[in-house]
Amino acid sequence: MLRPMTKWTAADIPDQTGRTFVVTGANSGLGLETARRLAEHGAQVIMTARDPEKGRAAAAGLPGSVEVRTLDLADLESVARFAAGVERADVLVNNAGVMMTPRRATAQGFELQLGTNHLGHFALTALLYPVLAAGSAPRVVTVSSGLHRRGRIDFDDLGAERSYSPTRAYAQSKFANVLFALELDRRLRAAGSPAISVLAHPGYTATNLQTSGPTGLLSLGGRIGNLLLAQHVRMGALDQLYAATAPGVQSGEFYGPANLSESRGHPKLVRPVRSATDPDTARRLWEVSEKLTGVPFAL
Ligand SMILES: NC(=O)c1ccc[n+]([C@@H]2O[C@H](COP(=O)([O-])OP(=O)(O)OC[C@H]3O[C@@H](n4cnc5c(N)ncnc54)[C@H](OP(=O)(O)O)[C@@H]3O)[C@@H](O)[C@H]2O)c1
């Protein structure tokens, strides 16, 4: 049974004084709103941005204790450099993402959407794990999408060398987020780790995502959708804020908006598509991710 929740808002975030959060992609959209709300509630926030200028401009308007550090998830050297500089973290919010871009590659030559949204966060989580495990009540929050439901992992053509579709590559990357977070949950439990792994998705929220990645008709559709259908980022960020801060959140849970087929509303416990809960597929993806990133993730 999915338990009903009251209409949780950012005002319900408990005091986060003394807790350190790393939020990826924090210069824009959901990441910026997440950093803002966490800082308002006393957290120390490490805002990451691939462009430090954009990061500093975004952080300038925030209250509380925030600092900006450079992290490009599409470059594993940047991921390693960033992770090596983090001395303390209690919560990692794997938020950054790109959507429906034309075919492009990361610095190491992976298809950009899987490379940024999944592989970069896989390596980041692995490299930060020792620091997180030493933190207090550690959490890893991974931001997926309702579109994970349309995804599958094409292990025979992971980088879409044979055929590339911007929407299929995005759905694959967001499906990978779910497989990863649920496999992380299983491995944390098996290892008796204090850390938990939680998923969130923001429904349909007006951000730069719909216009910065897609081109042509997809971009036009994104602009119109943002005007007519999307919810405000204040609402969209609640799911990941809930996953990151609410007491009683359990490892392996997934939070998304309550209304209109999970496209808008206050956070509620949601279910991933069944195929994304398959442990064999998740184990295989984990092994492939270790191999592709060259980052072993042993717990
Ligand atoms: N908005 C929605 O309706 C929606 C729906 C489902 C899921 N999501 C998920 O929500 C998350 C946040 O997206 P958003 O809607 O807030 O979009 P956004 O406003 O475009 O923010 C995305 C953030 O990710 C950063 N980013 C992109 N590529 C990066 C890289 N290589 N390295 C580091 N950071 C990188 C962006 O940096 P730049 O500013 O430099 O580009 C930006 O800070 C994503 O994971 C997305 O898949 C969003």
Side-chain angles (χ1 to χ4, degrees):
M1 270 289 280
L2 300 185
R3 67 173 184 269
M5 285 162 47
T6 52
K7 291 189 173 171
W8 194 87
T9 71
D12 297 313
I13 296 173
D15 181 28
Q16 299 297 315
T17 304
R19 289 177 72 64
T20 302
F21 292 70
V22 173
V23 182
T24 67
N27 62 283
S28 168
L30 294 157
L32 175 56
E33 180 66 12
T34 298
R36 181 194 315 277
R37 297 300 171 199
L38 291 171
E40 274 176 8
H41 288 82
Q44 166 80 32
V45 186
I46 300 175
M47 298 173 66
T48 85
R50 58 178 160 172
D51 175 344
E53 279 308 311
K54 278 198 208 169
R56 279 190 281 276
L62 299 199
S65 181
V66 297
E67 60 175 304
V68 176
R69 298 201 195 169
T70 306
L71 167 63
D72 182 352
L73 287 151
D75 180 354
L76 294 172
E77 287 181 14
S78 170
V79 174
R81 263 196 309 276
F82 167 77
V86 178
E87 281 163 2
R88 158 133 215 200
D90 304 299
V91 183
L92 167 62
V93 185
N94 286 327
N95 161 82
V98 282
M99 181 175 82
M100 298 179 194
T101 61
R103 182 198 282 280
R104 283 192 210 129
T106 67
Q108 283 73 29
F110 309 129
E111 182 281 310
L112 185 73
Q113 299 190 68
L114 190 74
T116 307
N117 300 354
H118 168 62
L119 292 172
H121 281 126
F122 176 89
L124 176 67
T125 309
L127 293 168
L128 279 187
Y129 179 70
V131 171
L132 284 163
S136 139
R139 295 187 189 192
V140 176
V141 176
T142 300
V143 179
S144 180
S145 161
L147 285 177
H148 85 275
R149 295 179 177 284
R150 303 214 201 138
R152 58 182 283 273
I153 305 292
D154 186 351
F155 285 105
D156 294 329
D157 190 20
L158 207 51
E161 312 285 332
R162 275 181 236 145
S163 85
Y164 180 77
S165 139
T167 44
R168 209 169 54 226
Y170 182 67
Q172 173 172 258
S173 74
K174 293 285 125 180
F175 187 81
N177 288 153
V178 178
L179 285 170
F180 165 65
L182 296 183
E183 180 66 9
L184 180 60
D185 161 50
R186 285 186 286 271
R187 291 183 185 225
L188 291 169
R189 285 173 198 261
S193 170
I196 65 170
S197 169
V198 190
L199 277 156
H201 82 81
Y204 187 177
T205 302
T207 65
N208 290 332
L209 190 76
Q210 296 85 355
T211 48
S212 61
T215 53
L217 277 182
L218 279 176
S219 171
L220 181 66
R223 267 171 226 283
I224 296 170
N226 272 0
L227 280 173
L228 299 180
L229 301 171
Q231 62 177 347
H232 194 279
V233 72
R234 277 196 300 274
M235 286 300 294
L238 291 181
D239 308 285
Q240 59 207 65
L241 284 165
Y242 188 92
T245 66
V249 167
Q250 304 287 315
S251 194
E253 288 182 338
F254 193 177
Y255 290 92
N259 305 327
L260 280 178
S261 308
E262 296 176 24
S263 66
R264 55 172 54 240
H266 295 270
K268 75 162 183 180
L269 194 56
V270 299
R271 284 201 179 102
V273 68
R274 184 188 281 270
S275 51
T277 64
D278 177 44
D280 293 332
T281 316
R283 198 175 316 118
R284 192 171 169 198
L285 179 69
W286 190 283
E287 285 160 10
V288 171
S289 304
E290 284 185 316
K291 204 165 141 206
L292 288 175
T293 60
V295 179
F297 196 166
L299 288 158

